[in-house]
Amino acid sequence: MERFNPPGLGRPSGFSHAVTAEGRLVFLAGQTALDADNKITGVTVVEQFERALGNLLTSLRAAGGEPADLCSVTIYIVDMEDYKAHAREIGQTWKRLVGKEYPAMAGIGVSRLWDVEALVEVQGFAVLSR
């Protein structure tokens, strides 16, 4: 996997501008902070982000991948101002669960998610080299 952050574009913080990879594709369904009983856990965006990202990584590992295999991640955010206000904590959560490398990423504001209690949803795809 190779990440590209050309000097003609703004310096990325928490994402890469482009990622190339060769291997087997794994498409990861959007994950919210659902627990095993299909109940949303956590009341803050940071708590829900940690659970949603953890759920995404659980799916990735089930398919034979690791966090470093993520090529692209999209985060759907109900309250963008709340998310931005907690960006440092969310970034720390990312680093703890995934590491210091970032895939191509997008954060998209939405009016609501499937479960009305959900504050964030994380979706992505990975490329497995093995």
Side-chain angles (χ1 to χ4, degrees), residues 5 18 23 27 33-34 39 55 68 78 85 89-91 96 98 104 109 125 128:
N5 294 300
F27 295 93
L34 286 176
K39 304 280 188 234
N55 289 347
V78 172
E89 297 161 89
I90 289 167
R96 184 168 36 81
V98 178
F125 76 84
L128 309 185

Side-chain angles (χ1 to χ4, degrees), residues 1 21-28 59-71 125-130:
M1 192 173 309
E22 292 183 30
R24 191 176 77 160
L25 293 175
V26 179
F27 295 93
L28 299 161
S59 295
L60 175 58
R61 287 185 177 105
E66 293 296 326
D69 297 322
L70 288 169
C71 285
F125 76 84
V127 177
L128 309 185
S129 58
R130 352 176 174 58

Side-chain angles (χ1 to χ4, degrees), residues 17-60:
H17 284 290
V19 178
T20 61
E22 292 183 30
R24 191 176 77 160
L25 293 175
V26 179
F27 295 93
L28 299 161
Q31 297 291 327
T32 59
L34 286 176
D35 65 12
D37 295 321
N38 286 323
K39 304 280 188 234
I40 295 291
T41 63
V43 295
T44 70
V45 69
V46 176
E47 292 168 335
Q48 287 198 19
F49 177 80
E50 181 170 357
R51 181 62 185 241
L53 181 59
N55 289 347
L56 185 89
L57 296 175
T58 296
S59 295
L60 175 58

